[in-house]
Amino acid sequence: MPHRHAHVLRRIRARSAPGDVVTRQGGWAARRGRTTSVVLILLGAAVALIGSTQTWLVASVEGTDIPATGSEALALLQPLALAGLALTLALALVGKALRFVFSALAVVIGGALTALITPIAADPPVSAIARVVTEHTGIAGVESVGEITSAIDATAWPIVALIASLVVAVGGALALVTGPAWRKGTSRYDAPSTSTSAGEGPLDAVDSWDRLTRGGDPTD
């Protein structure tokens, strides 16, 4: 019996060792790449979405202050932020091919938001407050609104949203770089394959337990 136990232990160690080597070789990209990328995109998109409801600009028109929210100053802010949020779920579920597509989309969304927000954060144009001024005064046209607007003051939210958009772009870029090394889901959620059949490939704890529940011997 002791000889039988020692033989079983040697076989288990022989099967588990290759998996340990793969884990070490996978490095940070395999272990943390997916989580870090998704969290960055989620955080950036969420902050941008919150910013769309906050006051970005205050226009002084004939002694009256007229505020403009993020979505009023930049119409595409809310749709792009929502698209970024949707991408986080997709990245967590899709395979390698679609992972590349969605990662690239995250970079595009982050870059588009950055390009659109930068002019507003640097020097707010009249076009950013034209719509809300028209709603309050009835005067339409960017030139006409500019003539009656004495000042446009920006709050901190355009800067916050700009940083958030950069975070989205960085998260997408990180997903592009680390995506090929991301780990797949455990075999519990995958269709049976020959890689976990008897005598082929390393078995992890989940594989061993699944085989045991099916009546097999995980040591074979």
Side-chain angles (χ1 to χ4, degrees), residues 39-51:
V39 168
L40 286 174
I41 298 171
L42 177 64
L43 179 62
V47 171
L49 184 61
I50 293 172

Side-chain angles (χ1 to χ4, degrees), residues 111-137:
L113 284 171
T114 301
L116 292 170
I117 295 172
T118 298
I120 298 177
D123 185 16
V126 174
S127 58
I129 51 91
R131 187 173 67 173
V132 292
V133 171
T134 298
E135 292 174 354
H136 282 78
T137 65

Side-chain angles (χ1 to χ4, degrees), residues 30-216:
R31 292 181 287 106
R32 301 298 180 194
R34 184 198 305 268
T35 300
T36 304
S37 301
V38 169
V39 168
L40 286 174
I41 298 171
L42 177 64
L43 179 62
V47 171
L49 184 61
I50 293 172
S52 69
T53 65
Q54 306 301 311
T55 299
W56 279 32
L57 306 172
V58 179
S60 298
V61 179
E62 299 179 349
T64 301
D65 290 339
I66 301 177
T69 64
S71 59
E72 291 171 333
L74 182 58
L76 289 176
L77 176 61
Q78 224 168 47
L80 288 175
L82 287 171
L85 288 176
L87 280 177
T88 60
L89 178 61
L91 277 175
L93 299 175
V94 298
K96 185 176 294 186
L98 287 177
R99 189 184 304 157
F100 177 83
V101 174
F102 288 127
S103 299
L105 281 176
V107 175
V108 171
I109 289 173
L113 284 171
T114 301
L116 292 170
I117 295 172
T118 298
I120 298 177
D123 185 16
V126 174
S127 58
I129 51 91
R131 187 173 67 173
V132 292
V133 171
T134 298
E135 292 174 354
H136 282 78
T137 65
I139 299 175
V142 175
E143 292 185 3
S144 299
V145 169
E147 291 175 358
I148 63 172
T149 303
S150 57
I152 303 175
D153 297 320
T155 66
W157 275 103
I159 300 296
V160 173
L162 179 60
I163 295 172
S165 67
L166 291 172
V167 170
V168 172
V170 169
L174 183 62
L176 279 175
V177 173
T178 64
W182 291 358
R183 291 177 177 176
K184 297 180 180 180
T186 63
S187 60
R188 183 182 297 274
Y189 305 102
D190 296 334
S193 64
T194 57
S195 63
T196 56
S197 60
E200 295 184 18
L203 294 177
D204 59 17
V206 176
D207 293 327
S208 300
W209 175 255
D210 286 346
R211 178 177 284 187
L212 183 62
T213 57
R214 291 194 297 269

